[in-house]
Amino acid sequence: MTNVEQLIQAGVLPSQNPLTPEQIAALNALTNVEIDALISIHIKLVGLFKPIDFVGTCF
Amino acid sequence: MSENHTNSQRLRATIAIASGTLSERAQEVWTHPRFGELYPEFLFAIYGMVVSSTPMLLQAALEADRLAASDPLARQLAPYLHAHAEEEQGHDEWVLDDLSFLGFDRDKVFSRLPYTSMSALIGAQYYLARHVHPVAVLGYIAVVENPKSPEYLEDLAARNGLPVESMKTLLRHSHLDRVHVADFDRMLDSLSLTLIQRDIMTASGIATVSYLEAFFVDVLEHFSRSADRHLSARIFHRAATPSLSAVSEVAGRSASG
């Protein structure tokens, strides 16, 4: 099973998604650990591949 | 994402995959129609983050020191973590000053427990640094160190009737963090990471996205209860503090004369 298929099966990525072939390739290049991490945070993957917006946190 | 990407490019690209909902929640806060009233709650919330930055980084630095003799990555990381821990020292006072300018007593800040999402956000890094590897902290830093321009913040203050003097923390970080981000990327790109070390760092970044999203949900949730004396946190019992408009008037008078 590819990473994208795994993400769809886990419900974090919609089965009907607008991913480009490059984005699919990028997701499929993630490691098993990274896929597990994405699945385990229980969020829906939206706005994929957009650089993180300003969150305003200070460090 | 090809293997030709640098460490920092790959880390940021992977975090971007996870951060869509975080960005949405953060925008809900920053574009909130009552942001001027919500802002003190946000300051309280990030106080929990800022006050723990130096101790958490120091913990990671000490762990890197402990591993250094047998771990080349830990040896490379330790100087950066020590230096960064020092750079962050005292920034919690800036947050307290901002709150104080808005009429919120620092003792009330100390007496209120941090959000559980904040404890989870920072606590995860203590755990990962101690029990997995201090390289995890780099995933956290890549998410939270995320400056906006001073112009954006000044405009935000003006639009919401907030005295710019109450934005010292954000404005100073908008300058400092640009330098920090460049230093961070340079340092990260100089590291030779094994696959598992890279995984630890990225997984930590992805977890940070999740905890930070919960943090923004908490900000909105606590603010939604702030009008109710029985449900709100004590720091928001307005009777004991000047109203925001009164603070703005005082700030305006002191600026004009």
Side-chain angles (χ1 to χ4, degrees), chain A residues 25-27 29-31 33-34 37-38 41 43-59, chain B residues 1 10 16-18 20-23 30 42 49 53 57 88 140 144 146 148 170 173 199 202 206 210 213 216:
Chain A
L27 281 175
L30 296 178
T31 66
V33 171
E34 290 165 341
L38 284 173
I41 62 174
I43 59 170
K44 300 287 177 206
L45 296 178
V46 297
L48 287 164
F49 301 98
K50 269 176 58 187
I52 191 165
D53 278 347
F54 174 53
V55 290
T57 46
C58 301
F59 183 59
Chain B
M1 235 174 319
R10 192 185 185 285
I17 290 171
T21 46
L22 166 62
S23 292
W30 292 102
F42 176 78
M49 175 183 276
S53 292
L57 278 172
E88 299 302 326
Y140 169 86
V144 300
N146 187 357
K148 195 72 174 175
L170 291 171
H173 277 99
D199 275 349
T202 318
I206 291 169
S210 169
E213 187 191 338
F216 278 101

Side-chain angles (χ1 to χ4, degrees), chain A:
Chain A
M1 189 188 299
T2 66
N3 286 346
V4 168
E5 288 166 345
Q6 204 179 338
L7 290 169
I8 290 170
Q9 199 162 81
V12 297
L13 189 66
S15 54
Q16 300 296 318
N17 58 68
L19 293 178
T20 65
E22 291 77 20
Q23 290 171 334
I24 289 171
L27 281 175
N28 284 334
L30 296 178
T31 66
N32 290 341
V33 171
E34 290 165 341
I35 291 296
D36 284 349
L38 284 173
I39 290 172
S40 68
I41 62 174
H42 302 298
I43 59 170
K44 300 287 177 206
L45 296 178
V46 297
L48 287 164
F49 301 98
K50 269 176 58 187
I52 191 165
D53 278 347
F54 174 53
V55 290
T57 46
C58 301
F59 183 59

Side-chain angles (χ1 to χ4, degrees), chain B residues 110-122:
Chain B
F110 299 151
S111 69
R112 184 175 166 192
L113 283 177
Y115 298 166
T116 50
S117 57
M118 177 58 70
S119 309
L121 174 71
I122 307 295

Side-chain angles (χ1 to χ4, degrees), chain B residues 16-83:
Chain B
I17 290 171
S19 64
T21 46
L22 166 62
S23 292
E24 285 179 4
R25 289 298 85 70
Q27 281 308 299
E28 274 185 61
V29 168
W30 292 102
T31 61
H32 196 284
R34 291 165 62 203
F35 181 79
E37 294 167 70
L38 177 151
Y39 178 59
E41 178 68 35
F42 176 78
L43 282 178
F44 164 76
I46 61 161
Y47 176 75
M49 175 183 276
V50 177
V51 77
S52 60
S53 292
T54 291
M56 186 271 282
L57 278 172
L58 204 52
Q59 166 73 30
L62 293 173
E63 192 58 25
D65 287 342
R66 192 180 71 79
L67 297 170
S70 60
D71 179 337
L73 175 61
R75 209 156 44 237
Q76 284 180 285
L77 276 177
Y80 171 80
L81 293 171
H82 277 289

